Amino acid sequence: MALDQAVPTQHGGVARETLEDYTLRFAPRSYRRWSPAVVGASALGGMAYMADFSIGAGIGLTHGTSNALLAILFAAVIILITGFPLAYYGARYNIDLDLITRGSGFGYYGSVLTSVIFASFTFIFFALEGSIMAQGLRYGLGMPLWLGYLVSTLVIIPLVIYGMKALAKLQTWTNPLWLVLIVAPIGYLVVADPGSVDRFLSHKSGVDLAAVMLGAGVCLSLMAQIGEQIDYLRFMPPKTAANRRSWWISVIAAGPGWVFFGAAKQIIGVFLAVYILDAVGAAAAVEPIEQFTGAFKQMMPVWLVVPLALLLVVLSQVKINVTNAYSGSLAWTNSVTRVSRRYPGRLVFVLVNLAFALILMEADMFSFLNSLLSFYSNCAIAWVVTVATDIMVNKFLLGLSPKQPEFRRGMLYAANPVGLTAFLLSSGISIAIYFGAFGAGIQPFSPVAAVVIALVLTPLMAVVTRGRYYLRRTDDGIDEPMLDSDGNPSATRYTCQVCEQSYERPDVLASARGGVICSLCLSTDRTGEHVLPAQAG
C-alpha cells in the first residue's frame, strides 16, 4: 500500500505514544476512565503558575491598585465568557482546542496558524515560569541565573515524557500542599496586620481608563490558557444523568473557571508587592520569591522562611511547566504533521518547545515581561474570541456553522475565510493600534479592538459566505451516527486498514480506497489516495 511509507511511525513505540495521550486525535471513551472530579482537579493543577503574581504586581505598581483591580476584573469577564463554549466543546466531544478550531471557522490547514500561536504561548509562559524558578534558586541556593534557567528546563523533561496518566497523578497529589503554601501567608497577613489591606487599597489611588486598558491587555494575554485547560478536559468521561452535576461543575470550574484562580493570584500579587515595596524596592517586589519570602517572615521562624518560599516556587514551576511542555508539544506536532504529512512523534517537540523557552530565559525575557505579554495578547484574543463567537453565534444562533465539531481531513475545506478573515484582521488591526498607528489616544485600547473586531467579523463573514466553507463533505462514508442516544461520542470501534489498530467512531471515516481509515493515518496520507472526494452542492 502506498501509504505504508508515509506512516511507519504508526507501529511500535510511537504507536504506543500516540495512544498514551491521543496526540492529534479524539480521546476515546475506553481511555477516559477518570471521574469528572479527578479530571477537573488535574486541570486546575495547571493554575499553579507564579506568573500571575508577577503580572498583578507589575500592573499594580505601575498603575495603582484601583486601576489594577478594574483591569483584572475586565479581563476576567472576557476570559470567562469566551472560555465557556470552548471548554464545553472540548469536554463534550473530547477533542483539543486545535481540533475545535479546525471546524469552527478556520479549516483543516487554516488552523495551523493558530496552533503555532498556541505553541508560542506555551513556550513564552514556560520561559516566564522558568525565570521565576531561577530567581528562587538564586535567592535560596545562590545559583547563578543562567544555570537556574538550564535547571528549570531540564527538570521538566523526565516528567513530561508520559501523557495524561502521569500528569493527572502529579497535579492531584501536589494540589493540597500548593494551596496551603499560597493561602496560609495571605490569611495570616490580613489577620495579623489589618493595616496591610488599607495600604494595598490606597496605593496610587484614582482611576484612569487608559491605565485600566493597559493593565487589561497584559491580563488578556492569558486568554490562551483555556487551550491548556482543554488538554485536560478532553479526557472527561461521557456526560450522563448520573454524573451530570459533577460533570458540569468540573467543566466550568476547570474550564472558564480557571480565571477566578488566575484573577485571585493577580490581586494577591498586587497585595504582596505593595506589602514588601518599601523593604525591597519596585524591581524586586514583582518577583514571587521576594513576595512570599516577605510574607513567610511574618509568620514563622527565620530558618524556615527561605526553604518554604523556595519549595513553593519550585513546586509551582514544575506543576505548570509540565503542562506548558505537554501542551506545546501537542501544538507543534499538530502543525508539523498536517503540513508535512509525517508524524515525527510528540517527544521531538517537547525538546523543541523547551529549547525555545530556554532561549527566551537566557535573553532575560522577565525584564520586559509586560511589554511582551501586551503584544502577544492581541493575537491570543483574536484567536479565542473568533472561535468562541463561531460556536456561540454561528453555530447556535445563526445555524451557519455545523454544531457537531469536525476535524478530519477531507471532511473540511483546507481553509475557511470566516475564521481566518476575522482572526487576521482582528489581530492585525489591534497590533497596529498597540504600536500607535492610529494615534496615542486609542493605543491602550488595542485589546478591546481585538475583541470587538473578532466578535463582529466572525458572524459577518459567515453570513457573507453563507457558511459554504465549513464542510467539504457532510457524509464520512460510515452509516453509524457519530453520537449515541445520550449525545456522547459513540464508543463503537473500527479497525484502521493502514495501521491495523482499532479506534472509536469519531476518529475514523471511510477511505476512498475502501474500508476504514483513522484520522491520523489520513493526515499522513502523502498521496491523498485515501481522501474522500468533495460532495457536490
Side-chain angles (χ1 to χ4, degrees):
M1 184 177 296
L3 191 61
D4 289 347
Q5 62 180 356
V7 288
T9 55
Q10 292 308 297
H11 304 283
V14 177
R16 288 191 295 274
E17 173 204 318
T18 64
L19 298 181
E20 161 64 21
D21 52 29
Y22 291 90
T23 309
L24 320 188
R25 293 185 180 278
F26 159 80
R29 187 180 305 195
S30 59
Y31 182 78
R32 295 180 276 114
R33 298 299 188 184
W34 298 277
S35 69
V38 169
V39 176
S42 300
L44 286 175
M47 294 297 94
Y49 57 85
M50 303 295 282
D52 273 326
F53 300 107
S54 293
I55 289 171
I59 297 170
L61 295 184
T62 302
H63 302 295
T65 297
S66 299
N67 292 319
L69 293 179
L70 290 173
I72 293 167
L73 178 62
F74 176 79
V77 170
I78 293 177
I79 291 172
L80 183 68
I81 293 172
T82 57
F84 176 79
L86 306 182
Y88 171 76
Y89 259 59
R92 182 63 162 158
Y93 298 108
N94 311 112
I95 54 179
D96 67 17
L97 187 50
D98 176 74
L99 271 58
I100 295 171
T101 300
R102 295 184 196 180
S104 297
F106 283 79
Y108 182 75
Y109 290 108
S111 69
V112 170
L113 179 61
T114 57
S115 287
V116 172
I117 289 173
F118 180 52
S120 302
F121 170 85
T122 64
F123 70 67
I124 288 172
F125 278 87
F126 187 107
L128 175 54
E129 290 299 317
S131 297
I132 291 171
M133 179 173 170
Q135 292 165 359
L137 294 173
R138 179 185 61 181
Y139 188 93
L141 304 178
M143 184 180 294
L145 281 177
W146 69 266
L147 182 57
Y149 297 147
L150 184 61
V151 169
S152 66
T153 302
L154 295 179
V155 74
I156 297 300
I157 295 175
L159 297 174
V160 80
I161 286 176
Y162 300 100
M164 174 63 182
K165 290 179 181 177
L167 294 184
K169 290 178 182 178
L170 172 68
Q171 302 294 15
T172 302
W173 292 348
T174 56
N175 280 347
L177 175 60
W178 180 84
L179 282 171
V180 169
L181 291 174
I182 291 292
V183 174
I186 306 306
Y188 180 86
L189 288 181
V190 170
V191 172
D193 183 9
S196 62
V197 177
D198 294 330
R199 294 193 297 275
F200 158 67
L201 293 175
S202 61
H203 178 70
K204 292 185 180 180
S205 60
V207 175
D208 178 78
L209 185 57
V212 171
M213 290 298 102
L214 286 170
V218 179
C219 297
L220 284 169
S221 65
L222 296 168
M223 184 176 278
Q225 176 65 31
I226 191 63
E228 295 194 350
Q229 301 306 111
I230 292 172
D231 280 340
Y232 288 95
L233 290 178
R234 66 193 176 111
F235 295 108
M236 286 289 287
K239 183 167 74 73
T240 64
N243 72 2
R244 177 187 177 102
R245 181 170 180 174
S246 62
W247 192 93
W248 274 113
I249 290 173
S250 295
V251 170
I252 293 174
W258 77 264
V259 75
F260 293 116
F261 297 89
K265 289 189 295 173
Q266 289 164 12
I267 293 170
I268 290 172
V270 182
F271 174 80
L272 290 176
V274 172
Y275 186 83
I276 66 171
L277 180 61
D278 291 339
V280 302
V286 299
E287 296 183 6
I289 185 66
E290 293 278 5
Q291 295 172 358
F292 281 92
T293 297
F296 286 147
K297 283 180 179 177
Q298 306 303 314
M299 60 179 293
M300 62 184 62
V302 175
W303 62 268
L304 192 56
V305 169
V306 173
L308 272 186
L310 184 58
L311 173 63
L312 173 60
V313 169
V314 171
L315 180 63
S316 299
Q317 190 269 349
V318 169
K319 282 171 69 64
I320 183 56
N321 269 354
V322 292
T323 301
N324 281 329
Y326 175 69
S327 295
S329 67
L330 294 182
W332 285 120
T333 307
N334 217 322
S335 302
V336 172
T337 299
R338 268 177 293 162
V339 173
S340 68
R341 297 180 188 172
R342 286 186 180 276
Y343 179 73
R346 178 177 67 82
L347 299 186
V348 173
F349 290 102
V350 169
L351 301 179
V352 169
N353 219 43
L354 298 188
F356 282 133
L358 183 59
I359 290 170
L360 280 179
M361 284 188 275
E362 297 292 355
D364 191 24
M365 67 156 287
F366 194 85
S367 64
F368 52 92
L369 167 65
N370 280 10
S371 298
L372 176 64
L373 296 182
S374 295
F375 166 77
Y376 179 82
S377 69
N378 295 288
C379 298
I381 293 167
W383 167 37
V384 173
V385 173
T386 297
V387 177
T389 303
D390 190 86
I391 293 173
M392 292 187 291
V393 179
N394 295 354
K395 292 185 187 301
F396 286 91
L397 293 182
L398 299 180
L400 294 172
S401 176
K403 288 184 180 180
Q404 188 171 306
E406 181 57 76
F407 63 90
R408 296 165 298 173
R409 182 183 177 191
M411 300 299 294
L412 296 166
Y413 282 97
N416 188 337
V418 173
L420 287 174
T421 301
F423 167 75
L424 291 172
L425 287 178
S426 175
S427 57
I429 294 173
S430 62
I431 288 172
I433 292 173
Y434 173 77
F435 283 111
F438 298 94
I442 67 168
Q443 192 171 6
F445 298 90
S446 66
V448 178
V451 172
V452 172
I453 295 169
L455 190 63
V456 171
L457 282 184
T458 304
L460 178 62
M461 287 302 300
V463 171
V464 169
T465 61
R466 299 197 297 273
R468 288 194 303 266
Y469 299 100
Y470 283 95
L471 293 179
R472 182 173 172 268
R473 294 181 58 88
T474 56
D475 176 15
D476 67 1
I478 299 178
D479 291 335
E480 182 191 359
M482 191 76 72
L483 306 179
D484 63 20
S485 57
D486 293 323
N488 294 303
S490 171
T492 304
R493 301 189 74 87
Y494 295 80
T495 299
C496 172
Q497 63 167 301
V498 176
C499 64
E500 299 179 346
Q501 300 203 42
S502 66
Y503 302 94
E504 292 181 7
R505 172 67 179 91
D507 204 27
V508 298
L509 69 166
S511 164
R513 294 188 57 177
V516 170
I517 187 169
C518 73
S519 62
L520 183 54
C521 285
L522 189 60
S523 293
T524 54
D525 175 7
R526 305 190 75 190
T527 65
E529 62 185 296
H530 291 270
V531 179
L532 293 169
Q535 285 179 314

